[in-house]
């Protein structure tokens, strides 16, 4: 991997930095549960869309900027460094990329430009009450009826379903086939009659995911991505894109740096335990090194993607596993640093909460990081079998 920018890449980096310096909204929180929580976020996304920068590496013919994977990486890194909201999410991060690889011309022309407007949210209808890690056990049924499929069943943990215009859905179309073979991948209009979205509130007291019920929901046949009954294989492409999310390593490093600054600045007022907690110094140092390791992993993923055109397989699992477990360690260290003050959050203590309550919120929220997108145990299984060639347990 070449770490230095080419002259063109350096020029692009400067262009983005200048753009961010003048246009970045001051009030848009990074990582807000609601993608459009602040008016500033919507205006910022519109400015990115006007420059074709919602997904700079998408093809020009569908409204992208046709940039290289490396330029896209530079773009993501610069936004993350500046703590500017990144247009990631399901639409840009993995539904759109799956459409680019497997969609029909008609589907690409319809959906990609709309995603690139920065104004639509998609959700992912994979998990069910009886099908999470064992996703191929899913039971939501889609039955052919003329030019439509009629869907009945239930999805769960569907992030952002309450904001979404479209869903990528996995449903069983051949109940007699072996379980990995009878699944089809659909695009669903979330306004279709028969869809009910019910909120689920997580332990960080935030409404991010939902239950979604389907009762005789009609989906046109033209909304199948790929071939009927071959959806399982497309679902793997989507999951690789999901797991290779780059940019979060920059966020991990910044959080550790913020914690170090806070620890030093608040020794005297005892809001940081640095003065009397002997192990904290060492822990902060360990987290700092680990954040550097995570950054190197994201470089590896992006250089593989640049060479091979598709996201890597087990390497994405390595990055996902390491990055999400690191996130939990970082916020455990943060809670140790804050001691009793760590219990204060933005809701209960307002602006008095240390680090605006981010440590407490993320300490609770990060628990889910090692579950969403496939649990750590599943990533370990993938790395062991597909990466190291070890036999199944
Ligand atoms: C915040 C969040 C957001 C999510 N968003 C979405 C979404 O938008 N769309 C969507 O479809 N899903 C979503 N999910 C669901 C997520 O993909 C599943 O929760 C996950 O795949 C695990 O499935 P499960 O919850 O059914 O747990 P289970 O599969 O029941 O697992 C229970 C435990 O058993 C372990 N286990 C299971 N099988 C094995 C095995 N073979 N070897 C070793 N250990 C095993 C697991 O690691 C876990 O610890 C989200 C989840 C979270 C937490």
């Amino acid at each position: 991997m070449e770490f230095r920018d080419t002259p063109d890449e350096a020029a692009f980096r400067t262009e983005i930095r200048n753009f961010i310096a003048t246009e970045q909204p001051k009030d848009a929180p990074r990582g807000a549960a609601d993608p459009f929580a602040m008016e500033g976020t919507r205006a910022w996304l519109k400015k990115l869309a006007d420059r074709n920068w919602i997904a700079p590496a998408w093809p020009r013919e569908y409204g992208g900027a046709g940039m290289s994977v490396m330029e896209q990486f530079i773009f993501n890194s610069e936004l993350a460094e500046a703590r500017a909201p990144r247009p990631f999410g399901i639409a840009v991060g993995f539904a759109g990329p799956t459409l680019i690889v497997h969609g029909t011309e008609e589907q690409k022309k319809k959906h990609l430009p709309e995603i690139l407007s920065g104004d639509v949210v998609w959700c992912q209808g994979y998990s069910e009450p009886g099908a999470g890690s064992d996703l191929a056990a899913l039971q939501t049924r889609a039955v052919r009826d003329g030019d439509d499929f009629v869907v009945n069943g239930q999805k769960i943990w569907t992030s952002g379903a309450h904001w979404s215009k479209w869903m990528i859905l996995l449903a069983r179309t051949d109940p007699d086939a072996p379980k990995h073979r009878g699944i089809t991948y659909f695009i669903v209009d979330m306004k279709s009659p028969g869809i009910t979205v019910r909120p689920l509130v997580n332990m960080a007291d935030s409404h991010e995911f939902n239950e979604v019920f389907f009762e005789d929901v009609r989906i046109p046949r033209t909304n199948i991505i790929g071939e009927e009954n071959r959806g399982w294989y497309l679902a793997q492409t989507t999951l690789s894109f999901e797991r290779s999310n780059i940019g979060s390593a920059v966020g991990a490093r910044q959080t550790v740096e913020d914690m170090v600054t806070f620890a030093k600045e608040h020794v005297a007022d005892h809001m940081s335990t640095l003065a009397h907690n002997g192990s904290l110094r060492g822990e902060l140092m360990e987290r700092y090194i680990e954040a550097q390791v995570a950054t190197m992993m994201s470089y590896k993923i992006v250089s593989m993607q640049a060479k091979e055109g598709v996201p890597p397989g087990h390497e994405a699992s390595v990055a996902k596993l390491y990055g999400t477990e690191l996130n939990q360690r970082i916020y455990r260290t943060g809670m140790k640093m804050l001691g009793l003050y760590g219990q204060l959050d933005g809701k209960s203590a307002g602006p008095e909460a240390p680090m605006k309550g981010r440590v407490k919120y993320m300490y609770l929220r990060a628990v889910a990081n090692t579950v969403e997108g496939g649990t750590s145990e599943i990533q370990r299984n993938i790395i062991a079998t597909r990466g190291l060639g070890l036999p199944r347990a």
Side-chain angles (χ1 to χ4, degrees), residues 115-186:
I115 294 173
L116 291 170
S117 72
D119 212 26
V120 296
V121 179
W122 286 49
C123 60
Q124 181 185 34
Y126 279 23
S127 306
E128 297 180 5
S133 302
D134 184 12
L135 184 59
L138 61 90
Q139 295 299 324
T140 293
R141 279 283 274 129
V143 179
R144 181 81 180 267
D145 182 24
D147 281 342
D148 293 343
F149 279 80
V150 179
V151 179
N152 282 283
Q154 185 201 340
K155 296 291 169 179
I156 195 166
W157 316 124
T158 320
S159 303
H162 50 310
W163 302 305
S164 292
K165 184 169 180 194
W166 300 100
M167 169 190 272
I168 42 174
L169 169 78
L170 292 180
R172 188 160 301 285
T173 35
D174 184 353
D176 300 322
K179 66 179 184 179
H180 293 88
R181 299 222 189 110
I183 295 170
T184 300
Y185 197 124
F186 294 95

Side-chain angles (χ1 to χ4, degrees), residues 124 126-127 132-133 157 159 209 365 368 371-372 375 377-378 381:
Q124 181 185 34
Y126 279 23
S127 306
S133 302
W157 316 124
S159 303
F209 46 34
R365 176 61 181 81
V371 178
E372 58 197 324
T375 67
E377 289 75 22
I378 295 305
N381 284 346

Side-chain angles (χ1 to χ4, degrees), residues 17 24 96 103 150 179 185 223 237 253 295 321 333 358:
R17 278 189 191 165
Q24 180 178 359
V150 179
K179 66 179 184 179
Y185 197 124
N223 280 19
T237 309
R253 200 203 66 231
T295 305
L321 174 67
T333 300
R358 187 165 115 225

